[in-house]
Amino acid sequence: MRTLTPPDRAAATAPVADPPLTVPEPVIIPPDGATPGAARPLPLRREGPEKLTGTAVYVDDMVVPGAWYGATIRSTDAHARFLGLELDDAFDWSQVVVVTAVDIPGENTIASIKRDQPVLVAEEIRHHAEAVALLAAPDRRILRAAKRAVRVRTEPLPAVFDPLGSDHEFARYEVARGDVDAAMAAADLVIEGTYRVGHQEQLYIENQGMIAVPRDDGGVTVYGSLQCPYYVQPALRRALALSESQAVVIQTETGGGFGGKEEYPSIVAVHAALLARAAGHPVRMIYDRHEDIASTTKRHPAIVRYRTGVRRDGTLVAQDVDIVMDGGAYCTLTPVVLSRGVLHAGGPYECPNVRIRGRAMATNTPPNGAFRGFGAPQTEFAAEMQANRVADALGVSPLELRRRWVYQPGGITPTGQVLRDSVAGLEVLDRAAEAAELERVRERTAAQRTAARGTRPATAHGIGLALAWHGAGFTGSGEVHLASVVQVDLETGGRPIIRIASTEMGQGTKTIFPQLVAAELGLSEDEVDLAPVDTSQVPDSGPTVASRTAMVVGGLVVQAARRLRDQVETATGRPFAASAADFVRDHGPLRVEQRFEPYPGEPFDDATYTGDAYPAFGWAAAVAEVDVDLDTGEVAVRSVVAADDVGRVIHPLLAAGQVEGGTLQAVGYATIEEIKLQDGRYLNDRLATYLIPTALDAPRIEAILVEAPFEGVPHGAKGVGELPMDVGAPAVVAAIHDATGVWIHDLPATPERILAALVGADQAADGAPA
Amino acid sequence: MSIRCRVNGEPVELEVPGMRRLLDALREDLRLTGTKEGCGEGECGACSVLLDGLVVDACLVPMCQVEGADIRTVEGLAETDGRLSALQRSFLERGGAQCGICTPGMLMAAQAYLEAGGGPEDEAIREAIAGNLCRCTGYTRIIESIAAVADAPG
Ligand code: FES
Ligand code: FES
């Protein structure tokens, strides 16, 4: 066994110029433009031609001459003392660099909410697949052999896998309104339920990946697949002790994120940068699917206990909710996820007496993190199950019950927020129910059930409804703390360029921003440029998360564009389009910077959890139809009608695409997506075993866009990305109930769970007096 | 070993280990990075290419099996003057591509379907792309994009 010597500093800092990035030259002739003067057509996806011809450059497509390959050595224990690395003497280590915790020049933590997660384990391993060391080699063959020549020595420690058995709390929140205990005691009917939802993997089809290139100034430039360049940059600075200008982050084309590339890319980037520094060469750190599933963040599992009190006439009088989330081994974004889960747990229903308590606990499992919906899908599943069960118990239609319960303008939320404008719960509900012919189909399924009584049909058809709200933008004072900045510049020649850190990952960022600015300036979209997402070129407009991009960043960009137009038009006395070039010639280039200003409303108090939790809410309803195979328990989701209020729609095609894609992820969450754990390790950590819906599994999805504009921003947009994620699962489970008569309390509603529930129902029926 | 085949109509000769994956030969030896790797084990279809007209997962095909074969990738789809093909345009106009990482494989599966005379029927198209995972779109607009081309005259 050999002891590790620190890498040769001189070699590590030897200047290596940014290598030229060879990108195959695209031959693209854009589709025929619109006839000038015709009504303005919707712009096509801006980066679409590159994506369709295979010339878009994702991180693994970059050709970086002289780059080495990086790999991560990971723990196989869930909890252990780390004793050291053993490097096989028989292996030729001369061509390999090894990086451990002692080689970290800065602080050994990943910059996030808490400083608890190490870049590399120094002493204590807290979860399976945790990074303990890094390797890089000039080619893959040597790297593979080197990985086999490393042994991680550990001494196992007792591990905690059940959040209910954990005594390490990451966060705790409570929201209270009215007198829950008195109201519950006075209620005519109290429905209770405990709901368990498991991990869900984002499963972006492009795995995590970063390429780190040493810079002449001793810093590093990192290219990669990511959502939030200004999360990655501080992480690099802290771990590698770099100045602002020494750490540059550049986004490559990103093949999906869904929250999975919100926080984890910081780890990949720091690892790649440490190796590049040690090797003195650029280093490619590209995960394969197995490593990606095994080690990256998932949606938080949660256990939600819920009591709902109603009067005989259906009036909602009390909600008492207790939430426990499993944070995994490190804090990551867990407090914010929990906070959103707590704030959404009442569902989109006005209730005078509410108590919602939530805690997030540590376990010795890989850390959980951001995933589309961010805590809300977990708690709103429980809220919707309760609503459907109350309707069932009272014998009223789930649509009618919701029409009575849903927030109306002027409604007051559990935090005391008065919902003044942009309240569209009733509208999305009615639109979805109408388009899906909910009541007619419900009558039909009820008639079928009656006709089939006593027989045992092979399949049963059912229809189900769910409704949700989703706070647009960051929770509470989040946007105020972020203080996002955007720039719209007028450059030589009079072309405007938008500078923002908002990332395109398929949702349409690159298309809607030029569209918004072009509309303000009286230009066509292709006359507006968009700066590359490169921290040396764009200001921090905040992370691309929380469905905030179209609303918050979009609002700032529109304001900046208006100011730019005013300045130019005031100086030239002519319309912007006709005078921008002259303006620049006479006055030089111009930069307009716009900084976030708080939206009107009551400030949120983080200590008491009162005030305006969100500047506005988006509203979503879904109606799902399913066929359940009564012999196998298998569910086929046939159709989903999704009506989503996203505020003013900027680009209907892109917005509908978000609704459809989110709906299918929710259907997967409801039916087949499940992580199985054993001793803190994910068992199904491959694509062959973690299943997501294929085109054959996918229902027909009809997206209906409802517009209830948000007055706080000039363009009226709210978010769209997360809404559909909140309603899909409870709608599917309600449809399963309509088909079979059984309630599935735990997600996913697997065939095993459905069969078990059916058997239980049969036994109950047999045991019941005739 | 030495392998001769055609890639997007061009004759190609490569000196590679027989077990080298077609995916790596395309991406690294020929710098045709349009073909993507999503799983490396035949589950996602991001690496779909056409091998003598049939859709295959390039991550599962060793180079020793492509001797003399005609291989087509996303880079060969556009018209010779560089214009997008009808299928590519349809994806662009109908929202068939979002993040784009599944798109090259999806296009190749669709291309094979259309060349085999596939029609605009929803079920048949779903069947044809069942081996290609997309996490962004919910498939709705991909199916629409393909159906519109299948339906178009000529
Ligand atoms: S990479 Fe070949 S099927 Fe996934
Ligand atoms: S467009 Fe992103 S995976 Fe299909």
Side-chain angles (χ1 to χ4, degrees), chain B residues 40-104:
Chain B
E41 48 187 27
E43 295 293 338
C44 73
C47 64
S48 300
V49 299
L50 302 192
L51 189 67
D52 294 328
L54 298 178
V55 192
V56 295
D57 292 329
C59 69
L60 296 182
V61 176
M63 285 304 285
C64 61
Q65 284 181 9
V66 306
E67 174 65 34
D70 180 50
I71 297 162
R72 281 187 292 154
T73 71
V74 68
E75 286 89 349
L77 278 185
E79 308 295 334
T80 40
D81 62 0
R83 266 173 190 277
L84 298 182
S85 71
L87 181 65
Q88 289 169 314
R89 282 206 52 158
S90 185
F91 268 63
L92 183 61
E93 288 165 2
R94 294 183 174 78
Q98 287 190 20
C99 83
I101 197 79
C102 73
T103 308

Side-chain angles (χ1 to χ4, degrees), chain A residues 29 45 51-52 58 60-61 140 201-203 289 505 653 656-657 660-661 665 673 686 693 695 698 700, chain B residues 27-28 34 36 38 41 43 81 83 88 92 97-101 107 122-123 126 135-136 139 141:
Chain A
I29 299 176
R45 175 177 288 281
K51 286 177 171 172
L52 289 156
Y58 298 81
D60 197 25
D61 301 338
R140 290 202 189 95
E201 160 61 35
Q202 294 86 358
L203 221 113
R289 178 62 60 188
M505 18 179 183
L653 185 73
E660 291 152 1
Q665 289 181 359
E673 294 188 38
R686 322 196 78 95
R700 276 164 199 69
Chain B
R27 290 182 50 86
E28 295 178 1
K36 307 301 181 193
E41 48 187 27
E43 295 293 338
D81 62 0
R83 266 173 190 277
Q88 289 169 314
L92 183 61
Q98 287 190 20
C99 83
I101 197 79
L107 286 169
D122 183 90
E123 270 315 309
R126 285 179 190 265
R135 191 59 153 169
C136 296
Y139 303 103
R141 275 158 216 280

Side-chain angles (χ1 to χ4, degrees), chain A residues 562-572 583 590 592:
Chain A
R562 286 186 184 170
R563 283 173 47 210
L564 181 71
R565 186 191 59 203
D566 285 350
Q567 285 193 35
V568 169
E569 291 183 350
T570 308
T572 63
F583 177 93
L590 180 63
V592 174

Side-chain angles (χ1 to χ4, degrees), chain A residues 23-84:
Chain A
V23 172
E25 196 68 71
V27 188
I28 297 154
I29 299 176
D32 306 331
T35 332
R40 183 179 273 213
L42 277 181
L44 296 169
R45 175 177 288 281
R46 185 172 265 229
E47 79 293 358
E50 288 87 339
K51 286 177 171 172
L52 289 156
T53 51
T55 51
V57 181
Y58 298 81
V59 62
D60 197 25
D61 301 338
M62 278 178 56
V63 177
V64 183
W68 285 28
Y69 295 87
T72 311
I73 303 293
R74 298 179 181 278
S75 67
T76 51
D77 299 275
H79 192 203
R81 214 179 313 286
F82 175 44
L83 303 178

